[in-house]
Amino acid sequence: VARLFTLHRRTARMRRMYTALLFLHSWIRWLVIFAGVAALGGAVAGVSTRRAWLPGDNLRLAFFTHSLDLQLLLGLILYAFLSPVTRSGFENMQLTMRDPVLRFFVVEHLTGMLIAIAFAHVGRARARKAVDAVARHRTVLLFVGLSMVALLLSIPWPGMPGGRELFRS
């Protein structure tokens, strides 16, 4: 009986942790999107006016990549340890690949987000190595743009199979 009670407490604690991290992961999505739009806006302005690379440009790009990294950390904790969706998805991968909701969360969401993060980090590294300001702005525009496309396609928007609400409460 004591072992069963301990298991129930641990399960309840895991559920609360899952709910809290899912809430945080859902809200940080908006921070990531805002940071990506800001980095894109700075890059567009830099390319169109041919202006110098400013500390604010570097800050916007760093904020975008760091917010993505935080989102990745939270997502991986959810994915690997807490999510009942991925847990059930890994129990039968054949069934998972036929179910659009399970396939999205077990395969497509993770893959798209990893691609988005890779584009963002490659873009930041290449921007650092660019020789002139316009080349840096173009690099940021290209790679953050690609990152944002992958990111926006991989978010479980309402109306999609397995879609989540825009503002989790």
Side-chain angles (χ1 to χ4, degrees), residues 19-31:
T19 302
L21 279 180
L22 191 59
F23 174 83
L24 195 57
H25 188 67
S26 176
W27 278 93
I28 290 175
R29 144 186 58 182
W30 296 108
L31 181 71

Side-chain angles (χ1 to χ4, degrees), residues 45-140:
V47 168
S48 63
T49 63
R50 304 184 65 76
R51 71 168 164 75
W53 180 260
L54 302 173
D57 297 316
N58 192 51
L59 187 63
R60 281 188 293 273
L61 183 57
F63 189 68
F64 177 58
T65 56
H66 293 325
S67 64
L68 271 172
D69 292 342
L70 174 61
Q71 191 69 327
L72 172 66
L73 176 64
L74 294 174
L76 287 177
I77 291 169
L78 287 165
Y79 186 84
F81 302 110
L82 299 174
S83 174
V85 175
T86 55
R87 192 174 312 125
S88 68
F90 282 120
E91 287 176 3
N92 185 343
M93 283 303 285
Q94 286 182 337
L95 179 64
T96 296
M97 295 310 286
R98 282 181 278 186
D99 183 321
V101 174
L102 286 175
R103 184 181 61 241
F104 178 79
F105 283 108
V106 173
V107 178
E108 296 166 7
H109 180 64
L110 176 68
T111 303
M113 292 305 178
L114 289 175
I115 290 168
I117 289 168
F119 277 135
H121 280 281
V122 168
R124 186 165 183 219
R126 285 197 175 182
R128 278 193 205 134
K129 293 178 184 178
V131 291
D132 70 346
V134 175
R136 279 186 175 175
H137 291 299
R138 267 196 223 115
T139 300
V140 170

